[in-house]
Amino acid sequence: MNILIIGSGVIGLSTAFELALAGHSVKVVTRNYEEGSSWVAGGMLAPYSEGLTGDLLRFSVESLRLYPEFLDRLQEISRLRIYFNRNGILRLFLSEEEYEEAKKLAAKNYKDTEFEELYGEELRKREPLLSGEPIAGLLFKEEGDVDAEKLMDALLFACENLRVKIQVDEVVSLEKRNGRIEIAKGLKENYVADFYVLTTGAWSKPLLDLPVYPVKGQILKVKGSELDKVYYSNISYIIPKENFILIGATSEDAGFDSRPTVGGVRSLLEGAVRIIPSLSEAELLSVKVGFRPGTPDDMPIFDTGENYVVSVGHYRNGILWAPISAKMVLDLVEKGDRSPYFDTFNAGRFSE
Ligand code: GLY
């Protein structure tokens, strides 16, 4: 089948990769393949640390458990190695109240995963780099993180190896008839395909008229390799990669303002040093800015038509949700299997 994917963030490229691997002829049209927020993401795979529950938890855990095989396939086809840390995420708490609430949530919702409660002296003994501020932690052993930049590089390489054509153009309108897309109109040319996948991230509103808006995130890169796991608290997340550490992330309602700011950087540095004081000695390498595709209820937005799928609004968890989002499209195209998540997270919820 000839498939056109509009958008080249992690969702678009993962979907392109899976469809091309299954033998389809795939073209990706993108305004700018370096622009997607996926390049700036912390890469945490953290359904439990993020405190998710209900449908969103089930969806996230399913995707988390697809990760090892997804990365195996991707590494084989791209011939790149992708940093994948599976030492867990240590969710830290700065007050008794916060800790008690998290323990209650975990006891009720997280029965199918292993986690350890670390309190007071026990936490300090196990984690000597921590300051005295966190009073307790929950170590979620199944969680981890990937290097999102490496993941994106690998997706581009794998797509190239599978002969996916990546074309720079901006699709500005979709001509539809009887629930089918007939033409995707770009600024440079028009595109016609058997099937379309719309993965336009934070830039979805003008094309799809869906309530997706940019949530600005600033993230820092510092030098260092002394940490073995993610330290996640309400004042910062400290995410070690192979030779550097990411410190994230601000969350700002600032439209598409791509400027790093003094206030943003200051709050990230303060938050990180309050958790791990020795980070004040680390060399600051860079500041990056990305735009999460936010939605009014923080859930993704899916939809299907006769010959298309919409897969947008992946907000804070695009990296985590990439394998399952790609699989939903693959299963639909290959087997006609329509995942129940197309209904759970259907775009129609905003027009009711
Ligand atoms: N997933 C963390 C963030 O978006 O900041």
Side-chain angles (χ1 to χ4, degrees), residues 44 50 237 249 292 316:
M44 291 187 293
E50 291 253 321
Y237 359 105
R292 305 174 185 87
R316 298 170 55 86

Side-chain angles (χ1 to χ4, degrees), residues 42-44 50 217 219 232 237 239 248-251 292 315-318:
M44 291 187 293
E50 291 253 321
I219 192 164
Y232 184 137
Y237 359 105
I239 317 168
T250 65
S251 199
R292 305 174 185 87
Y315 187 36
R316 298 170 55 86
N317 284 299

Side-chain angles (χ1 to χ4, degrees), residues 237-304:
Y237 359 105
I238 299 163
I239 317 168
K241 304 294 178 193
E242 205 145 33
N243 302 307
F244 60 92
I245 297 167
L246 293 177
I247 297 171
T250 65
S251 199
E252 303 163 60
D253 178 9
F256 284 107
D257 172 5
S258 60
R259 294 168 311 138
T261 61
V262 172
V265 172
R266 184 177 120 164
S267 73
L268 293 174
L269 291 174
E270 274 176 6
V273 170
R274 276 175 61 189
I275 300 295
I276 299 187
S278 57
L279 279 175
S280 63
E281 300 302 318
E283 181 183 341
L284 181 57
L285 296 174
S286 60
V287 190
K288 285 199 184 182
V289 175
F291 303 102
R292 305 174 185 87
T295 62
D297 55 10
D298 300 345
M299 302 207 211
I301 302 179
F302 295 108
D303 205 1
T304 52

